[in-house]
Amino acid sequence: MARHSKLQKQVLSLFRQFLRAGQDKPGFLPRIRDEFRENSSIKKTDVMHIEYLYRRGQRQLDQLKDVNTKQLGTFSKPKVER
Amino acid sequence: MPRLFGMHLPAVSQSSRKLHFSVYGKNNSKVSDGMSTQYPVVDHEFDAVVVGAGGAGLRAAFGLSEAGFNTACVTKLFPTRSHTVAAQGGINAALGNMEGDDWRWHFYDTVKGSDWLGDQDAIHYMTEQAPHAVVELENFGMPFSRTEDGKIYQRAFGGQSLKFGKGGQAHRCCCVADRTGHSLLHTLYGRSLRYDTSYFVEYFALDLLMEDGECKGVIALCMEDGSIHRFRSKNTVIATGGYGRTYFSCTSAHTSTGDGNAMVTRAGLPCQDLEFVQFHPTGIYGAGCLITEGCRGEGGILINSEGERFMERYAPNAKDLASRDVVSRSITIEIREGRGCGPEKDHAYLQLHHLPPQQLATRLPGISETAMIFAGVDVTKEPIPVLPTVHYNMGGIPTNYRGQVITHTTEEGDKVVPGLFACGEAACASVHGANRLGANSLLDLVVFGRACAHTIADICTPGEKLSPLKPNAGEESVANLDKLRFADGNMRTSEIRVNMQKTMQNHAAVFRTGKVLKEGCDKMDAIYQTLDDIKTFDRGIVWNTDLVETLELQNLMLNAVQTINSAEQRQESRGAHSREDFKDRMDELDYAKPLAGQVRKPIEEHWRKHTLSTVDPKTGKVTLKYRPVIDNSLDAEDCAAIPPAIRSY
């Protein structure tokens, strides 16, 4: 089995940190899983995109760890056919 | 299912509108299952939230952090990019470094400058706190210009006098060469890093979260990733600045879009005195960039096409250092009477080449460069072409002298809106009344920014439990956002914006006439309706500047309709609002004649009152009410209130 590249290890580490941080706050875990699942389809070679999402994820993780962030909700609207 | 610890908000809530709020994951809602558009909403809880990170916002934010409050500062721009950075002139304070001075003379000048529309208790508070505020800034490290003996250099500025107007020109404007605002903002930013305020930079505040007439927080859009954030807190301070961009030619940044005023209007609260828009006499002709009043303070003069120093005719005592509205009107009259300069005879000249070059280099380096870049003029040889340009909004969110936002009813008088505060250009305390004196705005920022922090520290304690909030609070804002994001009409944002700007510039300028204003009101109403037909192009949610500009346009429109409708209704000339068809000021007594034997008019029959305007956001219809001016100072023995008189310079 091919070993994980450095970037892949960083992404996995970020994912673990997110899961740990989002444990006690409602609404975050499902979204974290959904986001990572959706972005897993990005090609391994598209390093620019992955690094951009990684940097953004680090900022979002800092915000999640902040004691003042309380929950994640969602406003949703059924898509209307145009 | 995870246990919910200490949650105030239930999991699911349905409303009659199209959006449905739920805690993520509870209804198996996935990121994109193709069946719905989703807006993730992160909830935050703080003790205090400040919207805006300019001079007033930063001062309030770190003042609150200093007092122990858990504070968030939500801003659409990085703090040092706020428009405060462009201020040039200085801060007024009666320090007395150039000659003997007294803050009560500054108080008199400000009351007179406001054309007796300013609330004298707020003006008393500001002018008394001024020396303390400037010394505090100096202790923060602000690099003021210095005199030979190391004291803060104070220059002459418009409308400042000694001995209640009888002692000649006062020198009380403390400055940092001609880049005082830049220095002030960078000093405040540096100081704010010492405290643990949480900054949410590049978050566009959409609306206030109001429930039962109380403000419970703010909802904002994170521009970086398109997520919505609700900041719940017991205290919200609005410091979002002015709305110069409603006009085609202004000295303001493109980001001066009156977001705070619009948020308050959409919450159903009134805005005060929006018809008073200050036209700064010396904006560069064509570019609109500001040339500070400090030039005239250092000895610069305004001349017409005949080379005459025409201000001597309009203001025999103060000449070029008369109050800004007087100078703007004088320039406009000179141009109208055919003595304008240039090939089209449509501007005036500001002459500086008679001043010693080293004085220009030390005291006015910034404008020397600005004039070269934007007008191609070398100030040591040629005069600068200038024209009155929109610069400042005296009006805004009505507050009392402590910074608390108020509403007004005739039965109960002024009533505080719990949880909501405002400071800076966005607020109307009202210290500037109908016209602002130069260098009073930077003072207004720091004094009232600090005042808001003090008031909140007085009435609340850090760590107080928050009152419950409806789970779908902020839904209308997100629905509006969604509507604009997918808007598919016929008119682009830029087209509607330019229509609005040109209408305001042509119909609500320095001199206003009833017929032209009425035409402007009708045109603005039609332009407001075209907002329903708007078309945006970017459908994404990450860094969607098309969407943000459209939100800003909505905010500008609310400000513009209130401005022009209030101007049309006010049938007098006062301060910056001058009507050709009603040339006089209409007070409760005629102060041009002896007062003995005159009967005081009731408030419905005179115009020395504040305008309170509200708008129905769906139709754009403006409703006007009025509120009396506060004529008593905070302490009648320490500083007597100034009774109205005829205003001449």
PDB file of all heavy atoms in Angstrom, chain B residues 231-245:
ATOM      1  N   PHE B 231     -23.542  36.661  15.937  1.00  0.00           N
ATOM      2  CA  PHE B 231     -22.826  37.042  17.149  1.00  0.00           C
ATOM      3  C   PHE B 231     -23.867  37.471  18.163  1.00  0.00           C
ATOM      4  O   PHE B 231     -24.454  38.531  18.042  1.00  0.00           O
ATOM      5  CB  PHE B 231     -21.878  38.208  16.850  1.00  0.00           C
ATOM      6  CG  PHE B 231     -20.804  37.863  15.870  1.00  0.00           C
ATOM      7  CD1 PHE B 231     -21.001  38.046  14.512  1.00  0.00           C
ATOM      8  CD2 PHE B 231     -19.602  37.333  16.305  1.00  0.00           C
ATOM      9  CE1 PHE B 231     -20.018  37.713  13.598  1.00  0.00           C
ATOM     10  CE2 PHE B 231     -18.610  37.011  15.398  1.00  0.00           C
ATOM     11  CZ  PHE B 231     -18.820  37.193  14.045  1.00  0.00           C
ATOM     12  N   ARG B 232     -24.103  36.611  19.166  1.00  0.00           N
ATOM     13  CA  ARG B 232     -25.092  36.958  20.181  1.00  0.00           C
ATOM     14  C   ARG B 232     -24.377  37.696  21.290  1.00  0.00           C
ATOM     15  O   ARG B 232     -23.330  37.259  21.761  1.00  0.00           O
ATOM     16  CB  ARG B 232     -25.719  35.687  20.743  1.00  0.00           C
ATOM     17  CG  ARG B 232     -26.562  34.939  19.742  1.00  0.00           C
ATOM     18  CD  ARG B 232     -27.133  33.704  20.355  1.00  0.00           C
ATOM     19  NE  ARG B 232     -27.989  34.028  21.487  1.00  0.00           N
ATOM     20  CZ  ARG B 232     -28.295  33.185  22.458  1.00  0.00           C
ATOM     21  NH1 ARG B 232     -27.808  31.968  22.449  1.00  0.00           N
ATOM     22  NH2 ARG B 232     -29.077  33.541  23.443  1.00  0.00           N
ATOM     23  N   SER B 233     -24.959  38.823  21.692  1.00  0.00           N
ATOM     24  CA  SER B 233     -24.369  39.498  22.845  1.00  0.00           C
ATOM     25  C   SER B 233     -25.371  40.460  23.432  1.00  0.00           C
ATOM     26  O   SER B 233     -26.338  40.846  22.774  1.00  0.00           O
ATOM     27  CB  SER B 233     -23.102  40.241  22.446  1.00  0.00           C
ATOM     28  OG  SER B 233     -23.410  41.554  22.129  1.00  0.00           O
ATOM     29  N   LYS B 234     -25.115  40.877  24.675  1.00  0.00           N
ATOM     30  CA  LYS B 234     -26.038  41.777  25.342  1.00  0.00           C
ATOM     31  C   LYS B 234     -25.825  43.212  24.878  1.00  0.00           C
ATOM     32  O   LYS B 234     -26.705  44.049  25.037  1.00  0.00           O
ATOM     33  CB  LYS B 234     -25.775  41.681  26.851  1.00  0.00           C
ATOM     34  CG  LYS B 234     -26.950  42.010  27.677  1.00  0.00           C
ATOM     35  CD  LYS B 234     -26.881  41.309  29.034  1.00  0.00           C
ATOM     36  CE  LYS B 234     -28.038  41.795  29.878  1.00  0.00           C
ATOM     37  NZ  LYS B 234     -27.781  43.045  30.584  1.00  0.00           N
ATOM     38  N   ASN B 235     -24.633  43.510  24.342  1.00  0.00           N
ATOM     39  CA  ASN B 235     -24.323  44.882  23.959  1.00  0.00           C
ATOM     40  C   ASN B 235     -23.744  44.910  22.562  1.00  0.00           C
ATOM     41  O   ASN B 235     -22.774  44.229  22.272  1.00  0.00           O
ATOM     42  CB  ASN B 235     -23.267  45.473  24.903  1.00  0.00           C
ATOM     43  CG  ASN B 235     -23.667  45.337  26.344  1.00  0.00           C
ATOM     44  OD1 ASN B 235     -24.599  45.976  26.797  1.00  0.00           O
ATOM     45  ND2 ASN B 235     -22.966  44.487  27.068  1.00  0.00           N
ATOM     46  N   THR B 236     -24.356  45.690  21.685  1.00  0.00           N
ATOM     47  CA  THR B 236     -23.862  45.832  20.321  1.00  0.00           C
ATOM     48  C   THR B 236     -23.524  47.296  20.094  1.00  0.00           C
ATOM     49  O   THR B 236     -24.344  48.165  20.366  1.00  0.00           O
ATOM     50  CB  THR B 236     -24.943  45.423  19.306  1.00  0.00           C
ATOM     51  OG1 THR B 236     -25.428  44.134  19.664  1.00  0.00           O
ATOM     52  CG2 THR B 236     -24.391  45.381  17.909  1.00  0.00           C
ATOM     53  N   VAL B 237     -22.311  47.561  19.604  1.00  0.00           N
ATOM     54  CA  VAL B 237     -21.910  48.939  19.327  1.00  0.00           C
ATOM     55  C   VAL B 237     -21.744  49.090  17.822  1.00  0.00           C
ATOM     56  O   VAL B 237     -21.022  48.321  17.202  1.00  0.00           O
ATOM     57  CB  VAL B 237     -20.552  49.269  20.010  1.00  0.00           C
ATOM     58  CG1 VAL B 237     -20.169  50.704  19.741  1.00  0.00           C
ATOM     59  CG2 VAL B 237     -20.620  49.002  21.490  1.00  0.00           C
ATOM     60  N   ILE B 238     -22.426  50.076  17.255  1.00  0.00           N
ATOM     61  CA  ILE B 238     -22.318  50.291  15.813  1.00  0.00           C
ATOM     62  C   ILE B 238     -21.357  51.443  15.563  1.00  0.00           C
ATOM     63  O   ILE B 238     -21.537  52.544  16.078  1.00  0.00           O
ATOM     64  CB  ILE B 238     -23.686  50.629  15.200  1.00  0.00           C
ATOM     65  CG1 ILE B 238     -24.640  49.472  15.458  1.00  0.00           C
ATOM     66  CG2 ILE B 238     -23.550  50.856  13.703  1.00  0.00           C
ATOM     67  CD1 ILE B 238     -25.978  49.666  14.815  1.00  0.00           C
ATOM     68  N   ALA B 239     -20.305  51.183  14.780  1.00  0.00           N
ATOM     69  CA  ALA B 239     -19.317  52.237  14.468  1.00  0.00           C
ATOM     70  C   ALA B 239     -18.913  52.058  13.021  1.00  0.00           C
ATOM     71  O   ALA B 239     -17.732  51.889  12.706  1.00  0.00           O
ATOM     72  CB  ALA B 239     -18.113  52.087  15.401  1.00  0.00           C
ATOM     73  N   THR B 240     -19.913  52.108  12.139  1.00  0.00           N
ATOM     74  CA  THR B 240     -19.670  51.729  10.747  1.00  0.00           C
ATOM     75  C   THR B 240     -19.362  52.893   9.825  1.00  0.00           C
ATOM     76  O   THR B 240     -19.178  52.700   8.633  1.00  0.00           O
ATOM     77  CB  THR B 240     -20.906  51.018  10.179  1.00  0.00           C
ATOM     78  OG1 THR B 240     -22.044  51.793  10.532  1.00  0.00           O
ATOM     79  CG2 THR B 240     -21.045  49.634  10.750  1.00  0.00           C
ATOM     80  N   GLY B 241     -19.331  54.123  10.332  1.00  0.00           N
ATOM     81  CA  GLY B 241     -18.943  55.237   9.479  1.00  0.00           C
ATOM     82  C   GLY B 241     -20.088  55.833   8.677  1.00  0.00           C
ATOM     83  O   GLY B 241     -21.244  55.538   8.914  1.00  0.00           O
ATOM     84  N   GLY B 242     -19.736  56.699   7.739  1.00  0.00           N
ATOM     85  CA  GLY B 242     -20.714  57.461   6.992  1.00  0.00           C
ATOM     86  C   GLY B 242     -21.078  56.842   5.654  1.00  0.00           C
ATOM     87  O   GLY B 242     -20.736  55.687   5.376  1.00  0.00           O
ATOM     88  N   TYR B 243     -21.806  57.628   4.824  1.00  0.00           N
ATOM     89  CA  TYR B 243     -22.315  57.102   3.555  1.00  0.00           C
ATOM     90  C   TYR B 243     -22.042  58.065   2.413  1.00  0.00           C
ATOM     91  O   TYR B 243     -22.912  58.329   1.602  1.00  0.00           O
ATOM     92  CB  TYR B 243     -23.807  56.765   3.676  1.00  0.00           C
ATOM     93  CG  TYR B 243     -24.705  57.907   4.091  1.00  0.00           C
ATOM     94  CD1 TYR B 243     -25.364  58.667   3.139  1.00  0.00           C
ATOM     95  CD2 TYR B 243     -24.912  58.220   5.423  1.00  0.00           C
ATOM     96  CE1 TYR B 243     -26.194  59.714   3.501  1.00  0.00           C
ATOM     97  CE2 TYR B 243     -25.734  59.262   5.792  1.00  0.00           C
ATOM     98  CZ  TYR B 243     -26.374  59.997   4.834  1.00  0.00           C
ATOM     99  OH  TYR B 243     -27.190  61.023   5.202  1.00  0.00           O
ATOM    100  N   GLY B 244     -20.803  58.539   2.307  1.00  0.00           N
ATOM    101  CA  GLY B 244     -20.458  59.482   1.238  1.00  0.00           C
ATOM    102  C   GLY B 244     -20.738  58.948  -0.142  1.00  0.00           C
ATOM    103  O   GLY B 244     -21.022  59.710  -1.077  1.00  0.00           O
ATOM    104  N   ARG B 245     -20.696  57.623  -0.319  1.00  0.00           N
ATOM    105  CA  ARG B 245     -20.834  57.041  -1.664  1.00  0.00           C
ATOM    106  C   ARG B 245     -22.240  57.129  -2.248  1.00  0.00           C
ATOM    107  O   ARG B 245     -22.488  56.590  -3.327  1.00  0.00           O
ATOM    108  CB  ARG B 245     -20.361  55.596  -1.658  1.00  0.00           C
ATOM    109  CG  ARG B 245     -18.852  55.499  -1.683  1.00  0.00           C
ATOM    110  CD  ARG B 245     -18.280  55.821  -3.034  1.00  0.00           C
ATOM    111  NE  ARG B 245     -16.953  56.366  -2.957  1.00  0.00           N
ATOM    112  CZ  ARG B 245     -16.229  56.765  -3.992  1.00  0.00           C
ATOM    113  NH1 ARG B 245     -16.731  56.690  -5.204  1.00  0.00           N
ATOM    114  NH2 ARG B 245     -15.027  57.252  -3.828  1.00  0.00           N
TER     115      ARG B 245
END
